[in-house]
Amino acid sequence: MDLDAPTRFGELDSDGMIERIGELPQQCLAAWTLAQELELPPPYRAVQHVVVLGMGGSAIGGTLLQGLVAGECAVPVTVVRGYVPPAFVHGPGCLVVACSYSGNTEETLSALNAALEQGVLPVAVTTGGALASLAQERGIPLLHFDYSSQPRAALGYSFTLLLGLLHRVGLVRDYSTHVEEAARVMTQWQARIEPQVPTARNAAKALAGRLVGRLPVVYGAGFLAAVANRWKTQFNENSKHWAFFEQLPELHHNAVVGLGIPRSVREQAFVLMLRSDLDHPRVQVRWDVTQELFSREGVEAETLEGRGESPLAHMLSLIHFGDYVSYYLAMRNSVDPTPVETIAFLKKRLAEVGPAEA
Ligand code: PA5
């Protein structure tokens, strides 16, 4: 697919993934408002631990939240991706937020049921399904949102609703101005990377073109580590493309030793360094040295910078840019960015075997 023939994108993108990507700023604004309307009983303001349950596109919001509020939230935020919550998940000091776009993900439902047996304070975040029904039956506070998309394309909801919830329970400040700034910054950048902007002036299309046939390895540090994870999963699910991610400074203690072998991988690898001028000062030094290492080893690498003032704007601007890159790579790979047939197959096969035990 020629990236400069956007009127033809619909031939591959029949479900309109490009519109969903374009709506990220509005999703964030709508989600923030929705979360502020949630009524919670008084015990929710005495939380000692926050645990987010979810998988895939519904878990990444929790990981982004962890990174964003790490320097501010006085209690731990843990993300559980699996059937069984850890033993520390018990009692009314533990806020357990079950996030599932569909409301039907078996790992998330099992973990929530197990947590409920431990007397935790639950909240459900979903568009419906079994999770919404369980919330109604059990009187669990419910952040219900209506947005028709793939789970990963509803990230504006799954991330910002969690941030709004943490504000509602008194664990983080009022992020209204940061959410507004992030939406503004995304919208400004979007005007320069939308489909109608030709490749010669469109950095997202140009980058996607350089990634064709390559192995993207996305690096991020601190609050951008989860953004690197998001890029990786968007390459997997939108572009149907192999991708990996690594975190700085941890990667300086292992990954950098294995850059040379196999040689074929070194030649295929394309490292994307997601940076911010808000990164820790020593991390900034490490980024520069990393670039030096790549030049020495002959590894192709490129830097992308977060935009705006607040960490939230840096995160969301890079997420939005990466979503566009993954979309254009899908076009170049001649694949429909929306369906995730392998995930659907796995869910169907698991259902055939029988229901998961609660
Ligand atoms: O991107 C996807 O479709 C998946 O990663 C899903 O998010 C994951 O399978 C969990 O489903 P849900 O988000 O409906 O809980």
Side-chain angles (χ1 to χ4, degrees):
M1 176 69 74
D2 176 2
L3 293 185
D4 288 333
T7 52
R8 293 192 52 209
F9 287 178
E11 291 168 23
L12 290 171
D13 180 19
S14 51
D15 289 318
M17 178 60 86
I18 194 65
E19 276 85 40
R20 305 293 83 73
I21 291 174
E23 285 161 3
L24 184 62
Q26 291 74 35
Q27 283 185 38
C28 295
L29 293 167
W32 179 261
T33 305
L34 184 61
Q36 299 323 302
E37 289 161 4
L38 181 69
E39 294 296 336
L40 291 166
Y44 282 79
R45 293 195 69 87
V47 164
Q48 294 305 312
H49 198 147
V50 178
V51 177
V52 179
L53 311 175
M55 300 302 301
S58 291
I60 188 69
T63 315
L64 290 163
L65 178 80
Q66 242 180 350
L68 177 64
V69 305
E72 175 186 3
C73 181
V75 308
V77 177
T78 306
V79 180
V80 175
R81 291 171 160 94
Y83 292 93
V84 184
F88 60 73
V89 178
H90 68 88
C94 192
L95 170 64
V96 171
V97 191
C99 295
S100 170
Y101 175 89
S102 63
N104 292 323
T105 297
E106 65 175 47
E107 297 94 319
T108 310
L109 291 167
S110 286
L112 175 61
N113 280 313
L116 288 173
E117 281 175 21
Q118 299 303 317
V120 301
L121 288 182
V123 171
V125 178
T126 186
T127 63
L131 181 55
S133 306
L134 182 70
Q136 270 143 17
E137 274 162 33
R138 304 278 297 258
I140 296 172
L142 175 62
L143 274 167
H144 178 271
F145 63 100
D146 277 318
Y147 188 74
S148 184
S149 70
Q150 286 289 322
R152 64 188 182 281
L155 180 85
Y157 282 96
S158 52
F159 176 28
T160 319
L161 285 174
L162 291 178
L163 184 61
L165 173 63
L166 252 58
H167 174 57
R168 294 291 291 157
V169 300
L171 287 173
V172 300
R173 76 187 101 152
D174 181 350
Y175 272 83
S176 306
T177 54
H178 290 198
V179 174
E180 283 158 18
E181 189 225 353
R184 209 169 41 246
V185 169
M186 281 190 278
T187 307
Q188 279 162 2
W189 204 357
Q190 183 174 1
R192 305 175 68 171
I193 56 176
E194 276 180 324
Q196 65 272 20
V197 181
T199 308
R201 288 188 281 112
N202 186 323
K205 283 185 181 178
L207 178 55
R210 290 194 289 283
L211 291 173
V212 173
R214 304 295 295 273
L215 174 63
V217 184
V218 194
Y219 286 7
F223 69 106
L224 293 182
V227 177
N229 185 351
R230 164 73 175 184
W231 275 58
K232 177 253 182 218
T233 55
Q234 290 292 78
F235 284 134
N236 297 149
E237 294 184 71
N238 287 351
S239 326
K240 281 64 178 177
H241 201 105
W242 279 86
F244 297 95
F245 82 101
E246 295 269 2
Q247 298 190 32
L248 199 74
E250 174 65 16
L251 70 92
H252 272 186
H253 300 271
N254 36 63
V256 285
V257 185
L259 295 176
I261 304 170
R263 199 173 149 181
S264 57
V265 176
R266 186 193 65 192
E267 283 160 8
Q268 292 287 110
F270 194 119
V271 178
L272 299 160
M273 299 188 283
L274 307 187
R275 290 186 66 162
S276 163
D277 54 16
L278 304 174
D279 282 331
H280 187 283
R282 294 297 286 174
V283 166
Q284 314 253 17
V285 177
R286 285 180 181 275
W287 280 126
D288 295 340
V289 182
T290 309
Q291 180 59 67
E292 224 178 286
L293 272 179
F294 288 143
S295 307
R296 209 175 69 190
E297 296 277 345
V299 175
E300 195 164 354
E302 205 162 304
T303 295
L304 288 313
E305 295 268 355
R307 296 190 175 190
E309 299 289 324
S310 63
L312 185 64
H314 282 234
M315 291 172 86
L316 284 167
S317 59
L318 279 172
I319 287 172
H320 206 200
F321 184 82
D323 284 1
Y324 276 102
V325 176
S326 71
Y327 180 85
Y328 296 133
L329 187 55
M331 295 298 106
R332 288 297 308 267
N333 285 346
S334 298
V335 295
D336 183 341
T338 299
V340 278
E341 279 159 21
T342 319
I343 297 175
F345 166 78
L346 286 165
K347 288 184 179 178
K348 181 169 161 285
R349 290 288 292 119
L350 266 290
E352 282 164 11
V353 173
E357 301 218 345

